[in-house]
Amino acid sequence: MENENEDKLQRIIEIERKLGEIQDVDVLLESILTETRHIVNADAGSIYVVEDNKVKIKYGQNDTHLKELAPGQKLPYTVFSFPINPKQICGYVALTGQPINIEDCYTIPEDKPYKFNKNTDVTTNYRTKSMYTLPLKMPNGKVLGVLQIINAKNKDGEVIPFDDEAELMITHFASSAVQALQKAYLTSDMVRRMLKMAEFRDPKETYPHVERVSSYSLEIYDRWAFNHNISEEEMHSYRDNLKIAAKFHDVGKVGISDLILRKVFPRFTDEERNIMKGHTCIGAQLFNPPESPLDQMSMDIALHHHDWYDGSKNGYPGDIDLSKFSIKDGIVPEGKVLKGRAIPLSARIVAVADVFDALSHKRCYKDAWTIDDAFSEIQNSAGTQFDPEVVLAFMQVKDRICAIQLAIPDDKED
């Protein structure tokens, strides 16, 4: 028993180290939920963030339901929020900052201020029994989120209560998770400020747009990685970098003249179009020379997300020497053809995500396409504009792509 506890502690320490390396808030939240469940062998759980006096679910996991799906599939993408209310378990924890350990959610004593809503269980044919809910709380008392772990299991797979040892481990782990979250939020704030510059310059580059492109890209990569048997270790760092780097795909537009960025009609002249193409080089230069894997991926995406898979001249800029590009003249230098897998995977993924989002949303120069038409256009462009394997992964996560689009609407239509 003593050796078993030592092994668990060593595993927790290793997990905490990995959490500290994650830079993106959403990827971190998902990892916190996953690893907490694994530590105490829990079947299901959810993680919430606290924003503007509301509790918002970010991720839900359920191994019982996951086993019912085909390999590679995920549970439905769900996003909803509700006002903090002490009559709800999550709301009570968020409001009081105190954890709750419930042995059986169906037999909560009447004198408790909170109740369990059985509706979700009825809808999904699930039985929620043991539940441990705790706040993700900063040292100053501010609650960043709520972690809810459901149905602890013993070695025989039977549902058991969360005992004192489980409480201790979860509480210890949550403390480290909060430290990692604080660091990730600082990174998120820095990224948001950089992207706000692009949004100020180009009204088409809204923050909801880059958030959707980023989220689509992660879903596409996860499915692509499953299709290609990519190891969890390799996925761990790649998906974290991709979630952030995808947001920088058009950050180079900060260096393009307003006369071109805000032009509606008539459309670009050949000279203006060539200058507009320069945003790929400007964006790449922001991360050159790269000092980290995130810098390298951000540079690859900014530079190559408009290159076509078939090497067609419809794509740009190709394999160019960035040192020969000058913001002053704004003309992209001639480069060698870049096609197929020579285009970085991250750029091939973002290319699909970016075009789909642009097609399916209204812009000052066009109406929104229907979702079905946008999906058809992506599929029809497989092998020419887009990597067929990336398009396959994209179509395999169609339901999650649609859910993300509904969850992250534009603040306003231009």
Side-chain angles (χ1 to χ4, degrees):
M1 185 67 178
E2 185 176 341
N3 289 337
E4 185 178 331
N5 287 338
E6 286 181 4
D7 289 342
K8 283 184 179 181
L9 287 173
Q10 286 299 320
R11 184 163 175 267
I12 290 173
I13 291 170
E14 176 60 19
I15 292 170
E16 289 172 346
R17 182 190 65 77
K18 288 185 177 181
L19 286 186
E21 296 173 352
I22 298 176
Q23 303 159 97
D24 181 76
V25 170
D26 286 343
V27 173
L28 178 58
L29 288 168
E30 186 178 12
S31 295
I32 290 171
L33 175 59
T34 300
E35 299 300 348
T36 308
R37 287 179 48 239
H38 288 172
I39 287 170
V40 294
N41 194 30
D43 184 60
S46 300
I47 193 163
Y48 304 79
V49 294
V50 175
E51 297 176 347
D52 302 325
N53 294 317
K54 289 185 177 182
V55 177
K56 179 180 180 181
I57 190 169
K58 294 297 290 186
Y59 291 98
Q61 298 174 352
N62 187 306
D63 284 350
T64 295
H65 289 326
L66 190 61
K67 290 172 184 175
E68 298 169 355
L69 302 178
Q73 285 190 319
K74 294 183 180 181
L75 296 174
Y77 186 96
T78 305
V79 176
F80 61 86
S81 62
F82 50 87
I84 295 177
N85 184 339
K87 294 182 179 180
Q88 298 167 322
I89 296 171
C90 279
Y92 181 88
V93 170
L95 191 64
T96 65
Q98 298 299 315
I100 298 176
N101 190 346
I102 302 172
E103 187 170 329
D104 188 343
C105 288
Y106 284 26
T107 59
I108 296 174
E110 290 293 328
D111 61 348
K112 297 295 183 182
Y114 47 81
K115 307 296 178 186
F116 176 74
N117 189 337
K118 300 179 184 178
N119 290 340
T120 300
D121 275 8
V122 173
T123 302
T124 61
N125 193 30
Y126 189 73
R127 171 61 162 95
T128 300
K129 194 170 184 182
S130 61
M131 175 186 288
Y132 190 72
T133 310
L134 76 160
L136 297 172
K137 187 165 57 174
M138 293 170 56
N140 65 4
K142 179 181 179 182
V143 176
L144 296 177
V146 175
L147 182 59
Q148 190 168 77
I149 310 300
I150 296 168
N151 287 354
K153 290 188 173 182
N154 61 20
K155 292 180 180 179
D156 297 323
E158 299 167 333
V159 175
I160 58 174
F162 290 92
D163 58 20
D164 292 343
E165 182 185 330
E167 280 194 37
L168 183 63
M169 288 188 172
I170 293 173
T171 303
H172 172 80
F173 184 66
S175 177
S176 299
V178 168
Q179 293 180 38
L181 263 178
Q182 288 178 271
K183 179 182 173 184
Y185 273 119
L186 289 175
T187 300
S188 176
D189 289 343
M190 179 188 68
V191 170
R192 183 183 287 269
R193 291 184 187 108
M194 288 184 67
L195 295 171
K196 272 293 180 183
M197 290 189 299
E199 185 176 344
F200 289 152
R201 297 297 315 287
D202 183 3
K204 299 184 294 296
E205 285 303 300
T206 65
Y207 197 74
H209 165 70
V210 297
E211 281 286 351
R212 287 191 299 267
V213 169
S214 171
S215 296
Y216 298 156
S217 296
L218 193 64
E219 294 296 336
I220 295 168
Y221 173 71
D222 282 351
R223 184 66 201 203
W224 180 94
F226 173 83
N227 293 345
H228 289 78
N229 298 311
I230 303 300
S231 69
E232 284 191 23
E233 187 68 25
E234 184 177 342
M235 286 182 65
H236 174 76
S237 57
Y238 194 96
R239 68 198 303 271
D240 179 37
N241 288 328
L242 179 62
K243 187 67 163 54
I244 295 176
K247 297 178 183 181
F248 291 120
H249 64 280
D250 276 340
V251 71
K253 289 182 178 180
V254 297
I256 303 297
S257 166
D258 285 347
L259 295 177
I260 295 175
L261 279 180
R262 296 176 179 272
K263 187 174 183 181
V264 178
F265 187 83
R267 293 303 291 151
F268 298 142
T269 64
D270 288 343
E271 181 182 3
E272 289 170 337
R273 187 172 291 105
N274 286 333
I275 292 173
M276 187 65 175
K277 289 179 180 179
H279 81 276
T280 57
C281 299
I282 297 170
Q285 285 182 333
L286 293 174
F287 304 97
N288 191 34
E291 297 180 357
S292 67
L294 176 59
D295 280 354
Q296 183 63 60
M297 189 180 289
S298 299
M299 179 177 164
D300 288 342
I301 289 172
L303 188 59
H304 294 301
H305 71 286
H306 284 296
D307 278 305
W308 279 37
Y309 185 78
D310 65 357
S312 162
K313 288 189 176 181
N314 290 319
Y316 61 90
D319 186 10
I320 66 165
D321 183 351
L322 264 182
S323 66
K324 294 182 179 178
F325 174 79
S326 168
I327 294 180
K328 187 175 181 180
D329 61 46
I331 303 300
V332 177
E334 286 291 327
K336 298 177 184 177
V337 170
L338 195 67
K339 66 178 183 178
R341 294 187 179 182
I343 302 170
L345 172 63
S346 56
R348 283 180 271 146
I349 289 173
V350 172
V352 171
D354 183 35
V355 171
F356 173 79
D357 198 66
L359 290 176
S360 57
H361 285 82
K362 183 179 178 181
R363 293 293 178 259
C364 56
Y365 54 87
K366 73 168 191 69
D367 290 328
W369 290 28
T370 67
I371 294 294
D372 287 341
D373 285 348
F375 273 110
S376 294
E377 179 64 19
I378 297 296
Q379 197 162 29
N380 292 338
S381 300
T384 52
Q385 186 171 359
F386 306 122
D387 178 347
E389 293 182 347
V390 171
V391 172
L392 172 62
F394 173 74
M395 297 304 295
Q396 287 173 321
V397 294
K398 183 176 179 179
D399 289 349
R400 294 182 69 83
I401 297 295
C402 291
I404 289 168
Q405 189 165 83
L406 290 174
I408 312 176
D410 280 340
D411 293 329
K412 59 181 180 178
E413 295 289 0
D414 295 319

